[in-house]
Amino acid sequence: MSSVEHLPSDEVSDDEASINNFFEDMLDAVEESDSDGSEDGYASEQLLSEEKCREMRTYLRAYGEQKFLKKYLLDNKSEASDPSELPIREVLYALGIRSSLVLEDLDETTLVQLLQLAITRELRRRISLDNVTTLDDVISLIKNSKNIVLLTGAGISTSLGIPDFRSDSGIYRKLEAMGLSEPQEVFDLHVFREDPSIFYTFSKEILPTVTRFSPTHAFIKLIQDNGKLLTNYTQNIDNLESHAGISTDKLVQCHGSFASATCQTCGHKVPGQELFPDIRMGVVSHCKLPASADADDSSSSTRKRKRKAAYDEDEDEDDDDDDQEQAVQESTLAGSRSLCNGVMKPDITFFGEALPKTFETRLLGQDIDKCDMLICIGTSLKVAPVSEIIMVLPAHIPQIYISRTPCTHAEFDVSLLGNCDDVVEYICTKLGHGWELKHEMITENGFNGEVAKTGERTYKFTRPSDAEGKEVRDIAPPKGD
């Protein structure tokens, strides 16, 4: 699940925030298209050599934004023989914006705004460590580290059939197919308060249906069992870390979970499973806690005062008829007020809702000083503030990335691309004694795929494919949930 990116209200206006979000989304889309090679034009033609691109990025970091723009944009533009050939496109290319659809079709004003964001991202980008570059380095780091921080996302649960949110087969696409024009509104706190039925109509799509955990969850448990887990920050709301045995004092559920729920009227908490029948039926779940005694006493006193006033005004009215009518009214009121009846909300973090306090207190109060290795697994790192962990931790701390697709907006020391379960199975095999990964879903004879170095600091994990191009996995049949 996701959480809203918090912007300081006294520094960024709503309009500015909307503009920033627009260009953030545009830049994310460009980086994704560039990483999968789906765009033509500049992505393959190369406006500048990679050596020149590195030179420009190095200059930006060394001399700052103003000198960078003067040297590579303003001076070049004034000397350009053809004013229509904007040097800004070359600068954007050097900063990693290489989509021909963007560089050719956007006007200069829009490109300038995009350039500002690209520069900001580049200046914030962490520089990879010179002494951590290979898969062997990753194995050595896990062996020797004592306080590993793990940041996990939906990719560690997809092998169990639990969809992510943003992929082509993810939750948001399903909600769109069900007729919801703005899928994220399902998880918007303001929308929930105005009309909780929207959430309850669609939330069955994200309701946890399994208690089994994946091999990647088991790998995290191994890190804990070997005394090396400092903290597991999870963005997932399926609560499978708890089923895998991750200790509560080692786990921060950044976006909450379905494990519990809270009444939005009286604050009463219940186990999340009590809401599941209502969620499956698509009906709003209400609080079944008895209404407060104070409220009942107050209502009773009011009714007594009204009865006395009515009696004083008409002493001749038939007492028996009045008492009988009043008894019926009180019975009706008592029935409607016997329960709190407030709307129940699962304790998952909605857009517009603050993250648990433990997120910030643990990260800044402990992990920033103790962490000696960061492993990000199965997350695209697109949702702040959780994604900011990679920039909050000191830059000298080794950072490893494990996921199906590369992360183009962050600088990891080593990226291991493939199914998360495959990668951790391979890692455990290399770690040796004490790291035996025992799980019903892993291959019986160890990882039988290929590991290829596909770029600097990047490795690709693939399995043999059958005639239809589907991955072949020699796995034991899963047990019941």
Side-chain angles (χ1 to χ4, degrees):
M1 180 57 207
S2 59
S3 170
V4 70
E5 180 174 1
H6 300 285
L7 297 170
S9 58
D10 58 339
E11 296 181 7
V12 181
S13 68
D14 290 341
D15 289 342
E16 290 173 324
S18 297
I19 293 172
N20 288 342
N21 289 336
F22 171 75
F23 283 103
E24 285 275 6
D25 291 342
M26 179 186 291
L27 194 54
D28 288 341
V30 170
E31 288 175 334
E32 287 176 0
S33 65
D34 291 343
S35 67
D36 64 18
S38 60
E39 298 294 349
D40 297 324
Y42 296 121
S44 59
E45 292 176 6
Q46 285 199 326
L47 283 178
L48 302 169
S49 68
E50 287 304 316
E51 182 179 356
K52 181 65 174 180
C53 292
R54 283 194 295 271
E55 172 195 310
M56 293 172 67
R57 292 196 297 268
T58 300
Y59 189 93
L60 171 61
R61 290 179 173 276
Y63 296 100
E65 179 180 348
Q66 296 304 316
K67 287 189 175 182
F68 173 80
L69 291 175
K70 184 177 186 300
K71 178 178 176 65
Y72 292 106
L73 183 59
L74 300 179
D75 289 349
N76 281 350
K77 187 173 181 180
S78 64
E79 299 174 0
S81 57
D82 183 355
S84 65
E85 295 180 1
L86 298 177
I88 188 173
R89 290 181 166 82
E90 294 186 3
V91 177
L92 283 166
Y93 184 91
L95 295 176
I97 311 304
R98 303 184 177 184
S99 167
S100 59
L101 295 181
V102 171
L103 298 184
E104 289 179 347
D105 295 346
L106 297 182
D107 58 47
E108 183 176 3
T109 300
T110 305
L111 289 176
V112 167
Q113 292 174 292
L114 190 59
L115 174 61
Q116 181 63 58
L117 180 57
I119 288 175
T120 300
R121 281 197 173 190
E122 182 62 33
L123 289 173
R124 295 175 64 194
R125 191 187 294 264
R126 171 182 175 271
I127 300 298
S128 300
L129 302 178
D130 292 334
N131 61 337
V132 182
T133 62
T134 68
L135 184 50
D136 287 340
D137 291 334
V138 174
I139 305 301
S140 177
L141 280 168
I142 296 175
K143 282 184 177 180
N144 297 317
S145 295
K146 297 180 180 179
N147 293 295
I148 299 175
V149 168
L150 285 123
L151 172 53
T152 54
I156 72 171
S157 299
T158 51
S159 62
L160 300 169
I162 300 175
D164 59 15
F165 279 82
R166 293 172 175 79
S167 71
D168 290 341
S169 59
I171 292 296
Y172 288 155
R173 288 294 177 89
K174 287 186 177 181
L175 295 180
E176 287 177 354
M178 294 171 67
L180 198 65
S181 59
E182 297 293 338
Q184 291 190 6
E185 287 188 357
V186 172
F187 312 105
D188 186 282
L189 185 61
H190 301 294
V191 173
F192 181 85
R193 287 172 174 170
E194 290 180 1
D195 186 2
S197 67
I198 296 176
F199 171 79
Y200 276 93
T201 298
F202 295 100
S203 59
K204 59 179 175 290
E205 295 295 327
I206 62 169
L207 187 67
T209 57
V210 299
T211 56
R212 288 168 42 231
F213 51 88
S214 71
T216 304
H217 289 99
F219 171 65
I220 300 171
K221 178 65 160 52
L222 272 178
I223 294 177
Q224 175 181 277
D225 292 346
N226 279 277
K228 295 177 179 291
L229 179 62
L230 181 60
T231 305
N232 177 193
Y233 292 91
T234 179
Q235 299 171 90
N236 298 336
I237 59 175
D238 50 35
N239 199 39
L240 295 185
E241 293 83 7
S242 297
H243 293 294
I246 307 304
S247 175
T248 55
D249 64 347
K250 301 283 187 182
L251 179 65
V252 176
Q253 293 177 314
C254 304
H255 297 155
S257 77
F258 276 96
S260 60
T262 304
C263 174
Q264 300 302 285
T265 299
C266 70
H268 178 57
K269 282 188 176 292
V270 299
Q273 290 185 346
E274 292 190 11
L275 275 61
F276 288 5
D278 288 337
I279 292 175
R280 293 190 181 102
M281 292 187 295
V283 298
V284 178
S285 188
H286 292 278
C287 181
K288 297 177 177 59
L289 190 72
S292 67
D294 291 343
D296 289 344
D297 291 345
S298 175
S299 299
S300 177
S301 299
T302 301
R303 291 194 296 273
K304 288 177 180 178
R305 287 195 298 271
K306 288 182 178 179
R307 248 199 339 265
K308 185 178 186 303
Y311 179 80
D312 291 341
E313 291 175 1
D314 189 4
E315 294 183 356
D316 295 333
E317 187 175 347
D318 187 270
D319 290 343
D320 292 338
D321 290 343
D322 181 69
D323 289 344
Q324 185 177 6
E325 181 182 352
Q326 190 64 43
V328 172
Q329 292 177 356
E330 288 187 3
S331 176
T332 303
L333 287 170
S336 64
R337 298 183 182 184
S338 60
L339 299 177
C340 168
N341 210 40
V343 174
M344 298 299 297
K345 173 185 170 296
D347 290 336
I348 57 179
T349 306
F350 278 33
F351 289 99
E353 192 171 16
L355 267 64
K357 292 182 180 179
T358 52
F359 171 77
E360 183 175 346
T361 56
R362 189 175 183 97
L363 178 61
L364 300 181
Q366 170 187 286
D367 295 352
I368 194 172
D369 295 320
K370 289 188 176 181
C371 174
D372 55 11
M373 182 181 188
L374 171 67
I375 307 177
C376 296
I377 312 181
T379 171
S380 61
L381 294 170
K382 294 292 180 64
V383 181
V386 178
S387 61
E388 304 298 317
I389 290 177
I390 63 175
M391 288 177 283
V392 171
L393 293 177
H396 69 273
I397 301 299
Q399 297 189 4
I400 310 303
Y401 185 73
I402 301 173
S403 191
R404 288 184 63 90
T405 56
C407 178
T408 58
H409 61 277
E411 200 75 23
F412 286 92
D413 298 308
V414 180
S415 293
L416 309 178
L417 307 180
N419 291 325
C420 297
D421 294 345
D422 291 344
V423 176
V424 300
E425 181 182 353
Y426 177 90
I427 288 175
C428 287
T429 300
K430 292 297 182 181
L431 285 170
H433 180 67
W435 290 90
E436 293 81 9
L437 187 62
K438 299 177 181 179
H439 193 280
E440 61 195 22
M441 290 174 61
I442 65 172
T443 54
E444 296 178 354
N445 301 316
F447 176 70
N448 63 346
E450 296 182 355
V451 181
K453 188 172 183 179
T454 58
E456 187 179 4
R457 303 172 179 267
T458 302
Y459 294 80
K460 180 69 175 179
F461 290 70
T462 56
R463 285 186 176 273
S465 298
D466 61 12
E468 297 179 355
K470 297 178 180 179
E471 290 184 348
V472 176
R473 290 179 62 92
D474 178 21
I475 62 174
K479 299 177 182 177
D481 292 345

